[in-house]
Amino acid sequence: MSASVSAAQAQAMAHDVLRTVDVDVPSTTAIVLTDGTYTGPHHEGYLVNPSQVTGAAEQFTMITGLSVDGDRLVDALPWIGDEEDQ
């Protein structure tokens, strides 16, 4: 991933890497970060923990050979309650 990632690019990549670990989120549903214990469908999008994203990015890299920086991906995704995530 490049240094500057658009929100749309981050969403597309997050969908791809999460699919690697069998978290299949519809492409029309936003992936939103949470530090809570609940993950899954939510009115603000599909909630995931940052560790799910970084772990999925590692698996994606091992499986595909394409390097994805999970920390940078997490930095580019919205958090639950962010005004920008709608």
Side-chain angles (χ1 to χ4, degrees), residues 10-75:
Q11 286 292 320
M13 182 55 66
H15 281 83
D16 288 345
V17 300
L18 287 168
R19 204 171 297 117
T20 303
V21 294
D22 295 327
V23 178
D24 194 12
V25 181
S27 61
T28 56
T29 302
I31 293 173
V32 182
L33 299 172
T34 181
D35 57 3
T37 56
Y38 175 77
T39 59
H42 186 270
H43 73 274
E44 288 194 45
Y46 193 95
L47 301 182
V48 296
N49 289 312
S51 61
Q52 287 178 279
V53 176
T54 56
E58 289 175 17
Q59 290 294 317
F60 182 88
T61 297
M62 288 192 298
I63 291 168
T64 66
L66 301 173
S67 181
V68 175
D69 185 329
D71 292 327
R72 285 169 64 188
L73 182 54
V74 165
D75 289 343

Short mmCIF file of all heavy atoms in Angstrom, two decimals, residues 10-75:
data_model
loop_
_atom_site.label_atom_id
_atom_site.label_comp_id
_atom_site.label_asym_id
_atom_site.label_seq_id
_atom_site.Cartn_x
_atom_site.Cartn_y
_atom_site.Cartn_z
N ALA A 10 -8.77 1.81 0.99
CA ALA A 10 -8.66 1.11 2.26
C ALA A 10 -9.82 0.12 2.43
O ALA A 10 -9.61 -1.01 2.88
CB ALA A 10 -8.63 2.10 3.42
N GLN A 11 -11.02 0.54 2.08
CA GLN A 11 -12.18 -0.35 2.19
C GLN A 11 -12.02 -1.56 1.27
O GLN A 11 -12.25 -2.70 1.70
CB GLN A 11 -13.47 0.41 1.87
CG GLN A 11 -13.92 1.36 2.95
CD GLN A 11 -14.36 0.64 4.21
OE1 GLN A 11 -15.02 -0.41 4.17
NE2 GLN A 11 -14.01 1.20 5.36
N ALA A 12 -11.62 -1.33 0.04
CA ALA A 12 -11.47 -2.43 -0.91
C ALA A 12 -10.40 -3.43 -0.42
O ALA A 12 -10.62 -4.65 -0.46
CB ALA A 12 -11.11 -1.89 -2.29
N MET A 13 -9.28 -2.91 0.06
CA MET A 13 -8.21 -3.79 0.54
C MET A 13 -8.64 -4.53 1.80
O MET A 13 -8.37 -5.72 1.96
CB MET A 13 -6.93 -3.00 0.80
CG MET A 13 -5.76 -3.86 1.25
SD MET A 13 -5.35 -5.25 0.15
CE MET A 13 -4.77 -4.39 -1.29
N ALA A 14 -9.34 -3.84 2.70
CA ALA A 14 -9.82 -4.49 3.93
C ALA A 14 -10.78 -5.63 3.58
O ALA A 14 -10.70 -6.71 4.19
CB ALA A 14 -10.49 -3.48 4.84
N HIS A 15 -11.67 -5.42 2.62
CA HIS A 15 -12.56 -6.49 2.20
C HIS A 15 -11.75 -7.68 1.67
O HIS A 15 -12.05 -8.83 2.00
CB HIS A 15 -13.53 -6.00 1.12
CG HIS A 15 -14.68 -5.21 1.64
ND1 HIS A 15 -14.60 -3.86 1.93
CD2 HIS A 15 -15.94 -5.57 1.96
CE1 HIS A 15 -15.76 -3.44 2.39
NE2 HIS A 15 -16.60 -4.47 2.43
N ASP A 16 -10.74 -7.40 0.86
CA ASP A 16 -9.91 -8.47 0.28
C ASP A 16 -9.16 -9.25 1.36
O ASP A 16 -9.16 -10.48 1.35
CB ASP A 16 -8.92 -7.91 -0.73
CG ASP A 16 -9.58 -7.45 -2.02
OD1 ASP A 16 -10.75 -7.81 -2.27
OD2 ASP A 16 -8.91 -6.73 -2.79
N VAL A 17 -8.50 -8.55 2.28
CA VAL A 17 -7.69 -9.26 3.27
C VAL A 17 -8.58 -10.01 4.26
O VAL A 17 -8.24 -11.12 4.67
CB VAL A 17 -6.67 -8.35 4.01
CG1 VAL A 17 -5.70 -7.72 3.02
CG2 VAL A 17 -7.32 -7.31 4.86
N LEU A 18 -9.71 -9.45 4.64
CA LEU A 18 -10.60 -10.14 5.57
C LEU A 18 -11.20 -11.39 4.95
O LEU A 18 -11.41 -12.40 5.64
CB LEU A 18 -11.69 -9.20 6.08
CG LEU A 18 -11.21 -8.14 7.07
CD1 LEU A 18 -12.27 -7.08 7.29
CD2 LEU A 18 -10.81 -8.78 8.40
N ARG A 19 -11.46 -11.34 3.65
CA ARG A 19 -11.97 -12.52 2.96
C ARG A 19 -10.99 -13.69 3.07
O ARG A 19 -11.39 -14.85 3.11
CB ARG A 19 -12.23 -12.18 1.48
CG ARG A 19 -13.25 -13.05 0.82
CD ARG A 19 -13.66 -12.55 -0.57
NE ARG A 19 -14.30 -11.24 -0.51
CZ ARG A 19 -13.80 -10.13 -1.08
NH1 ARG A 19 -12.66 -10.16 -1.74
NH2 ARG A 19 -14.44 -8.98 -0.98
N THR A 20 -9.71 -13.38 3.16
CA THR A 20 -8.66 -14.40 3.30
C THR A 20 -8.85 -15.23 4.56
O THR A 20 -8.50 -16.41 4.59
CB THR A 20 -7.27 -13.73 3.33
OG1 THR A 20 -7.11 -12.97 2.14
CG2 THR A 20 -6.16 -14.75 3.40
N VAL A 21 -9.40 -14.62 5.62
CA VAL A 21 -9.62 -15.33 6.88
C VAL A 21 -11.11 -15.62 7.10
O VAL A 21 -11.59 -15.69 8.22
CB VAL A 21 -9.00 -14.57 8.08
CG1 VAL A 21 -7.49 -14.53 7.96
CG2 VAL A 21 -9.57 -13.16 8.22
N ASP A 22 -11.83 -15.77 5.99
CA ASP A 22 -13.24 -16.16 6.00
C ASP A 22 -14.18 -15.15 6.67
O ASP A 22 -15.21 -15.53 7.23
CB ASP A 22 -13.43 -17.55 6.62
CG ASP A 22 -12.78 -18.64 5.79
OD1 ASP A 22 -12.75 -18.50 4.56
OD2 ASP A 22 -12.30 -19.62 6.38
N VAL A 23 -13.81 -13.88 6.63
CA VAL A 23 -14.73 -12.82 7.04
C VAL A 23 -15.17 -12.15 5.75
O VAL A 23 -14.48 -11.30 5.19
CB VAL A 23 -14.04 -11.80 7.99
CG1 VAL A 23 -15.01 -10.68 8.36
CG2 VAL A 23 -13.53 -12.50 9.24
N ASP A 24 -16.33 -12.59 5.24
CA ASP A 24 -16.81 -12.14 3.94
C ASP A 24 -17.85 -11.05 4.14
O ASP A 24 -19.00 -11.33 4.47
CB ASP A 24 -17.38 -13.32 3.16
CG ASP A 24 -17.58 -12.99 1.69
OD1 ASP A 24 -17.08 -11.95 1.22
OD2 ASP A 24 -18.24 -13.80 1.00
N VAL A 25 -17.42 -9.82 3.97
CA VAL A 25 -18.28 -8.65 4.15
C VAL A 25 -18.75 -8.20 2.77
O VAL A 25 -17.92 -8.03 1.86
CB VAL A 25 -17.50 -7.50 4.84
CG1 VAL A 25 -18.39 -6.30 5.06
CG2 VAL A 25 -16.91 -7.99 6.16
N PRO A 26 -20.06 -7.98 2.59
CA PRO A 26 -20.53 -7.49 1.29
C PRO A 26 -19.79 -6.21 0.89
O PRO A 26 -19.50 -5.35 1.74
CB PRO A 26 -22.02 -7.22 1.53
CG PRO A 26 -22.38 -8.10 2.69
CD PRO A 26 -21.15 -8.16 3.55
N SER A 27 -19.50 -6.08 -0.39
CA SER A 27 -18.73 -4.94 -0.87
C SER A 27 -19.44 -3.61 -0.64
O SER A 27 -18.80 -2.56 -0.62
CB SER A 27 -18.39 -5.10 -2.35
OG SER A 27 -19.58 -5.17 -3.12
N THR A 28 -20.74 -3.64 -0.44
CA THR A 28 -21.49 -2.41 -0.20
C THR A 28 -21.53 -2.02 1.28
O THR A 28 -22.10 -0.99 1.64
CB THR A 28 -22.94 -2.55 -0.71
OG1 THR A 28 -23.53 -3.69 -0.08
CG2 THR A 28 -22.96 -2.72 -2.22
N THR A 29 -20.95 -2.85 2.13
CA THR A 29 -20.94 -2.60 3.58
C THR A 29 -19.57 -2.08 4.00
O THR A 29 -18.55 -2.70 3.68
CB THR A 29 -21.27 -3.89 4.35
OG1 THR A 29 -22.54 -4.38 3.92
CG2 THR A 29 -21.28 -3.66 5.84
N ALA A 30 -19.56 -0.97 4.71
CA ALA A 30 -18.30 -0.39 5.20
C ALA A 30 -17.71 -1.24 6.31
O ALA A 30 -18.44 -1.78 7.15
CB ALA A 30 -18.53 1.03 5.71
N ILE A 31 -16.40 -1.35 6.30
CA ILE A 31 -15.68 -2.01 7.38
C ILE A 31 -15.28 -0.91 8.37
O ILE A 31 -14.67 0.09 7.99
CB ILE A 31 -14.47 -2.78 6.85
CG1 ILE A 31 -14.98 -3.94 6.00
CG2 ILE A 31 -13.59 -3.26 8.00
CD1 ILE A 31 -13.92 -4.70 5.27
N VAL A 32 -15.68 -1.09 9.63
CA VAL A 32 -15.49 -0.08 10.66
C VAL A 32 -14.77 -0.73 11.85
O VAL A 32 -15.12 -1.84 12.26
CB VAL A 32 -16.85 0.50 11.11
CG1 VAL A 32 -16.67 1.58 12.14
CG2 VAL A 32 -17.65 1.02 9.91
N LEU A 33 -13.79 -0.03 12.37
CA LEU A 33 -13.01 -0.56 13.49
C LEU A 33 -13.70 -0.33 14.83
O LEU A 33 -14.41 0.67 15.01
CB LEU A 33 -11.63 0.11 13.54
CG LEU A 33 -10.75 -0.11 12.32
CD1 LEU A 33 -9.51 0.77 12.42
CD2 LEU A 33 -10.37 -1.56 12.18
N THR A 34 -13.50 -1.26 15.74
CA THR A 34 -14.01 -1.14 17.10
C THR A 34 -12.99 -1.71 18.07
O THR A 34 -12.21 -2.59 17.71
CB THR A 34 -15.35 -1.90 17.27
OG1 THR A 34 -15.81 -1.73 18.61
CG2 THR A 34 -15.21 -3.38 17.00
N ASP A 35 -12.99 -1.18 19.29
CA ASP A 35 -12.16 -1.79 20.33
C ASP A 35 -13.04 -2.55 21.31
O ASP A 35 -12.60 -2.98 22.35
CB ASP A 35 -11.28 -0.76 21.04
CG ASP A 35 -12.08 0.37 21.66
OD1 ASP A 35 -13.33 0.35 21.59
OD2 ASP A 35 -11.47 1.29 22.21
N GLY A 36 -14.30 -2.72 20.95
CA GLY A 36 -15.24 -3.45 21.79
C GLY A 36 -15.17 -4.95 21.55
O GLY A 36 -14.42 -5.43 20.69
N THR A 37 -15.98 -5.69 22.29
CA THR A 37 -15.97 -7.14 22.17
C THR A 37 -16.89 -7.63 21.06
O THR A 37 -16.73 -8.74 20.58
CB THR A 37 -16.39 -7.80 23.50
OG1 THR A 37 -17.67 -7.30 23.88
CG2 THR A 37 -15.37 -7.52 24.58
N TYR A 38 -17.86 -6.81 20.65
CA TYR A 38 -18.77 -7.22 19.58
C TYR A 38 -18.15 -6.90 18.23
O TYR A 38 -17.71 -5.77 17.97
CB TYR A 38 -20.13 -6.52 19.69
CG TYR A 38 -21.01 -6.86 18.51
CD1 TYR A 38 -21.65 -8.09 18.45
CD2 TYR A 38 -21.14 -5.99 17.44
CE1 TYR A 38 -22.42 -8.43 17.35
CE2 TYR A 38 -21.91 -6.32 16.35
CZ TYR A 38 -22.55 -7.55 16.30
OH TYR A 38 -23.31 -7.89 15.21
N THR A 39 -18.12 -7.89 17.35
CA THR A 39 -17.74 -7.68 15.96
C THR A 39 -18.82 -8.30 15.09
O THR A 39 -19.55 -9.18 15.53
CB THR A 39 -16.37 -8.34 15.63
OG1 THR A 39 -16.45 -9.74 15.90
CG2 THR A 39 -15.24 -7.71 16.45
N GLY A 40 -18.94 -7.80 13.89
CA GLY A 40 -19.94 -8.31 12.97
C GLY A 40 -20.84 -7.19 12.50
O GLY A 40 -20.53 -5.99 12.64
N PRO A 41 -21.98 -7.57 11.91
CA PRO A 41 -22.90 -6.57 11.35
C PRO A 41 -23.36 -5.56 12.40
O PRO A 41 -23.64 -5.92 13.54
CB PRO A 41 -24.07 -7.41 10.85
CG PRO A 41 -23.52 -8.79 10.67
CD PRO A 41 -22.45 -8.93 11.72
N HIS A 42 -23.44 -4.30 11.98
CA HIS A 42 -23.82 -3.20 12.87
C HIS A 42 -24.41 -2.11 11.98
O HIS A 42 -24.13 -2.06 10.78
CB HIS A 42 -22.56 -2.70 13.59
CG HIS A 42 -22.81 -1.66 14.64
ND1 HIS A 42 -22.80 -0.32 14.36
CD2 HIS A 42 -23.06 -1.77 15.96
CE1 HIS A 42 -23.04 0.36 15.47
NE2 HIS A 42 -23.19 -0.51 16.47
N HIS A 43 -25.21 -1.24 12.55
CA HIS A 43 -25.84 -0.19 11.72
C HIS A 43 -24.82 0.78 11.11
O HIS A 43 -25.11 1.44 10.12
CB HIS A 43 -26.92 0.57 12.50
CG HIS A 43 -26.40 1.49 13.54
ND1 HIS A 43 -26.10 1.07 14.81
CD2 HIS A 43 -26.09 2.81 13.47
CE1 HIS A 43 -25.64 2.10 15.50
NE2 HIS A 43 -25.62 3.17 14.72
N GLU A 44 -23.61 0.86 11.65
CA GLU A 44 -22.58 1.73 11.08
C GLU A 44 -21.71 1.02 10.05
O GLU A 44 -20.86 1.64 9.42
CB GLU A 44 -21.70 2.31 12.18
CG GLU A 44 -22.41 3.36 13.02
CD GLU A 44 -21.46 4.16 13.88
OE1 GLU A 44 -20.40 4.59 13.37
OE2 GLU A 44 -21.78 4.36 15.06
N GLY A 45 -21.86 -0.28 9.91
CA GLY A 45 -21.06 -1.06 8.99
C GLY A 45 -20.77 -2.42 9.59
O GLY A 45 -21.50 -2.89 10.47
N TYR A 46 -19.71 -3.05 9.16
CA TYR A 46 -19.30 -4.34 9.70
C TYR A 46 -18.15 -4.09 10.65
O TYR A 46 -17.09 -3.61 10.23
CB TYR A 46 -18.88 -5.28 8.58
CG TYR A 46 -18.76 -6.71 9.01
CD1 TYR A 46 -19.82 -7.59 8.85
CD2 TYR A 46 -17.60 -7.18 9.60
CE1 TYR A 46 -19.71 -8.91 9.26
CE2 TYR A 46 -17.48 -8.50 10.01
CZ TYR A 46 -18.55 -9.36 9.85
OH TYR A 46 -18.45 -10.66 10.26
N LEU A 47 -18.34 -4.37 11.93
CA LEU A 47 -17.34 -4.06 12.95
C LEU A 47 -16.27 -5.13 13.02
O LEU A 47 -16.57 -6.33 13.06
CB LEU A 47 -17.99 -3.93 14.32
CG LEU A 47 -19.08 -2.88 14.48
CD1 LEU A 47 -19.58 -2.86 15.92
CD2 LEU A 47 -18.58 -1.51 14.07
N VAL A 48 -15.01 -4.69 13.02
CA VAL A 48 -13.86 -5.58 13.19
C VAL A 48 -12.89 -4.93 14.16
O VAL A 48 -12.86 -3.71 14.31
CB VAL A 48 -13.14 -5.89 11.86
CG1 VAL A 48 -14.04 -6.64 10.91
CG2 VAL A 48 -12.59 -4.64 11.22
N ASN A 49 -12.11 -5.75 14.83
CA ASN A 49 -11.05 -5.24 15.69
C ASN A 49 -9.80 -5.01 14.85
O ASN A 49 -9.58 -5.72 13.86
CB ASN A 49 -10.72 -6.26 16.80
CG ASN A 49 -11.82 -6.33 17.83
OD1 ASN A 49 -12.29 -5.32 18.31
ND2 ASN A 49 -12.23 -7.54 18.16
N PRO A 50 -8.97 -4.05 15.24
CA PRO A 50 -7.73 -3.83 14.50
C PRO A 50 -6.88 -5.10 14.36
O PRO A 50 -6.28 -5.33 13.31
CB PRO A 50 -7.00 -2.76 15.33
CG PRO A 50 -8.10 -2.01 16.00
CD PRO A 50 -9.15 -3.06 16.30
N SER A 51 -6.87 -5.93 15.39
CA SER A 51 -6.07 -7.16 15.32
C SER A 51 -6.59 -8.12 14.25
O SER A 51 -5.81 -8.88 13.67
CB SER A 51 -6.02 -7.85 16.68
OG SER A 51 -7.31 -8.22 17.10
N GLN A 52 -7.89 -8.09 13.98
CA GLN A 52 -8.43 -8.91 12.90
C GLN A 52 -7.87 -8.45 11.55
O GLN A 52 -7.54 -9.27 10.70
CB GLN A 52 -9.95 -8.83 12.85
CG GLN A 52 -10.66 -9.58 13.96
CD GLN A 52 -12.15 -9.40 13.87
OE1 GLN A 52 -12.67 -8.38 14.29
NE2 GLN A 52 -12.83 -10.38 13.29
N VAL A 53 -7.78 -7.14 11.38
CA VAL A 53 -7.28 -6.58 10.12
C VAL A 53 -5.79 -6.89 9.95
O VAL A 53 -5.36 -7.34 8.88
CB VAL A 53 -7.54 -5.07 10.04
CG1 VAL A 53 -6.94 -4.47 8.78
CG2 VAL A 53 -9.04 -4.78 10.11
N THR A 54 -5.00 -6.66 11.00
CA THR A 54 -3.56 -6.91 10.88
C THR A 54 -3.27 -8.40 10.69
O THR A 54 -2.41 -8.76 9.89
CB THR A 54 -2.78 -6.35 12.08
OG1 THR A 54 -3.29 -6.90 13.30
CG2 THR A 54 -2.84 -4.83 12.13
N GLY A 55 -3.99 -9.24 11.39
CA GLY A 55 -3.82 -10.69 11.22
C GLY A 55 -4.21 -11.14 9.82
O GLY A 55 -3.53 -11.96 9.20
N ALA A 56 -5.31 -10.61 9.32
CA ALA A 56 -5.76 -10.95 7.97
C ALA A 56 -4.77 -10.45 6.93
O ALA A 56 -4.51 -11.13 5.93
CB ALA A 56 -7.15 -10.37 7.72
N ALA A 57 -4.19 -9.28 7.17
CA ALA A 57 -3.19 -8.74 6.23
C ALA A 57 -1.96 -9.65 6.17
O ALA A 57 -1.41 -9.89 5.09
CB ALA A 57 -2.79 -7.33 6.63
N GLU A 58 -1.54 -10.18 7.32
CA GLU A 58 -0.41 -11.12 7.35
C GLU A 58 -0.74 -12.39 6.56
O GLU A 58 0.09 -12.87 5.78
CB GLU A 58 -0.05 -11.48 8.78
CG GLU A 58 0.59 -10.36 9.57
CD GLU A 58 0.82 -10.72 11.03
OE1 GLU A 58 0.80 -11.92 11.37
OE2 GLU A 58 1.02 -9.79 11.83
N GLN A 59 -1.93 -12.93 6.78
CA GLN A 59 -2.36 -14.13 6.05
C GLN A 59 -2.43 -13.85 4.55
O GLN A 59 -2.00 -14.67 3.74
CB GLN A 59 -3.72 -14.61 6.55
CG GLN A 59 -3.69 -15.19 7.93
CD GLN A 59 -2.88 -16.46 8.00
OE1 GLN A 59 -2.97 -17.32 7.14
NE2 GLN A 59 -2.05 -16.57 9.03
N PHE A 60 -3.00 -12.70 4.18
CA PHE A 60 -3.11 -12.31 2.78
C PHE A 60 -1.74 -12.27 2.12
O PHE A 60 -1.55 -12.78 1.02
CB PHE A 60 -3.80 -10.94 2.69
CG PHE A 60 -4.02 -10.45 1.29
CD1 PHE A 60 -5.17 -10.80 0.60
CD2 PHE A 60 -3.11 -9.63 0.66
CE1 PHE A 60 -5.39 -10.34 -0.70
CE2 PHE A 60 -3.31 -9.16 -0.63
CZ PHE A 60 -4.46 -9.52 -1.31
N THR A 61 -0.77 -11.67 2.83
CA THR A 61 0.59 -11.58 2.30
C THR A 61 1.21 -12.96 2.13
O THR A 61 1.83 -13.25 1.09
CB THR A 61 1.47 -10.71 3.22
OG1 THR A 61 0.92 -9.38 3.23
CG2 THR A 61 2.90 -10.64 2.75
N MET A 62 1.03 -13.84 3.10
CA MET A 62 1.59 -15.19 3.00
C MET A 62 0.96 -15.99 1.86
O MET A 62 1.64 -16.73 1.17
CB MET A 62 1.42 -15.94 4.32
CG MET A 62 2.35 -15.43 5.40
SD MET A 62 2.44 -16.50 6.86
CE MET A 62 0.76 -16.47 7.46
N ILE A 63 -0.34 -15.83 1.67
CA ILE A 63 -1.05 -16.61 0.66
C ILE A 63 -0.80 -16.07 -0.75
O ILE A 63 -0.56 -16.84 -1.68
CB ILE A 63 -2.56 -16.64 0.96
CG1 ILE A 63 -2.81 -17.46 2.22
CG2 ILE A 63 -3.36 -17.18 -0.21
CD1 ILE A 63 -4.20 -17.32 2.79
N THR A 64 -0.86 -14.76 -0.92
CA THR A 64 -0.79 -14.17 -2.26
C THR A 64 0.61 -13.72 -2.65
O THR A 64 0.89 -13.54 -3.84
CB THR A 64 -1.72 -12.96 -2.37
OG1 THR A 64 -1.24 -11.91 -1.52
CG2 THR A 64 -3.16 -13.32 -2.03
N GLY A 65 1.47 -13.46 -1.68
CA GLY A 65 2.78 -12.89 -1.98
C GLY A 65 2.74 -11.39 -2.16
O GLY A 65 3.77 -10.75 -2.36
N LEU A 66 1.55 -10.79 -2.09
CA LEU A 66 1.39 -9.34 -2.20
C LEU A 66 1.50 -8.74 -0.81
O LEU A 66 0.76 -9.14 0.09
CB LEU A 66 0.05 -8.99 -2.82
CG LEU A 66 -0.22 -9.55 -4.22
CD1 LEU A 66 -1.65 -9.27 -4.64
CD2 LEU A 66 0.77 -8.94 -5.21
N SER A 67 2.38 -7.79 -0.63
CA SER A 67 2.63 -7.20 0.68
C SER A 67 1.55 -6.19 1.04
O SER A 67 1.30 -5.24 0.30
CB SER A 67 4.00 -6.53 0.70
OG SER A 67 4.24 -5.99 1.97
N VAL A 68 0.92 -6.41 2.19
CA VAL A 68 -0.07 -5.46 2.72
C VAL A 68 0.35 -5.12 4.14
O VAL A 68 0.52 -6.01 4.98
CB VAL A 68 -1.49 -6.06 2.72
CG1 VAL A 68 -2.48 -5.12 3.39
CG2 VAL A 68 -1.94 -6.39 1.31
N ASP A 69 0.53 -3.86 4.41
CA ASP A 69 0.89 -3.38 5.75
C ASP A 69 -0.39 -3.24 6.57
O ASP A 69 -1.16 -2.29 6.38
CB ASP A 69 1.64 -2.05 5.64
CG ASP A 69 2.16 -1.55 6.97
OD1 ASP A 69 1.52 -1.83 8.01
OD2 ASP A 69 3.19 -0.86 6.96
N GLY A 70 -0.62 -4.19 7.45
CA GLY A 70 -1.84 -4.19 8.25
C GLY A 70 -1.99 -2.96 9.12
O GLY A 70 -3.10 -2.44 9.28
N ASP A 71 -0.89 -2.45 9.68
CA ASP A 71 -0.97 -1.26 10.53
C ASP A 71 -1.39 -0.03 9.73
O ASP A 71 -2.20 0.77 10.19
CB ASP A 71 0.36 -1.00 11.22
CG ASP A 71 0.70 -2.07 12.26
OD1 ASP A 71 -0.24 -2.60 12.90
OD2 ASP A 71 1.89 -2.37 12.42
N ARG A 72 -0.85 0.11 8.53
CA ARG A 72 -1.25 1.24 7.69
C ARG A 72 -2.69 1.11 7.23
O ARG A 72 -3.41 2.10 7.10
CB ARG A 72 -0.30 1.38 6.51
CG ARG A 72 1.03 1.98 6.98
CD ARG A 72 2.13 1.94 6.00
NE ARG A 72 1.93 2.70 4.79
CZ ARG A 72 2.76 2.64 3.76
NH1 ARG A 72 3.83 1.86 3.81
NH2 ARG A 72 2.53 3.35 2.68
N LEU A 73 -3.12 -0.12 6.99
CA LEU A 73 -4.51 -0.35 6.62
C LEU A 73 -5.42 0.05 7.77
O LEU A 73 -6.43 0.73 7.58
CB LEU A 73 -4.72 -1.81 6.21
CG LEU A 73 -6.12 -2.19 5.74
CD1 LEU A 73 -6.59 -1.29 4.61
CD2 LEU A 73 -6.14 -3.66 5.32
N VAL A 74 -5.08 -0.36 8.98
CA VAL A 74 -5.87 0.02 10.16
C VAL A 74 -5.93 1.54 10.29
O VAL A 74 -6.99 2.11 10.56
CB VAL A 74 -5.28 -0.63 11.44
CG1 VAL A 74 -5.84 0.03 12.70
CG2 VAL A 74 -5.57 -2.12 11.46
N ASP A 75 -4.80 2.21 10.07
CA ASP A 75 -4.77 3.68 10.16
C ASP A 75 -5.70 4.34 9.16
O ASP A 75 -6.18 5.46 9.40
CB ASP A 75 -3.35 4.20 9.95
CG ASP A 75 -2.43 3.89 11.11
OD1 ASP A 75 -2.93 3.56 12.21
OD2 ASP A 75 -1.19 3.98 10.92
#
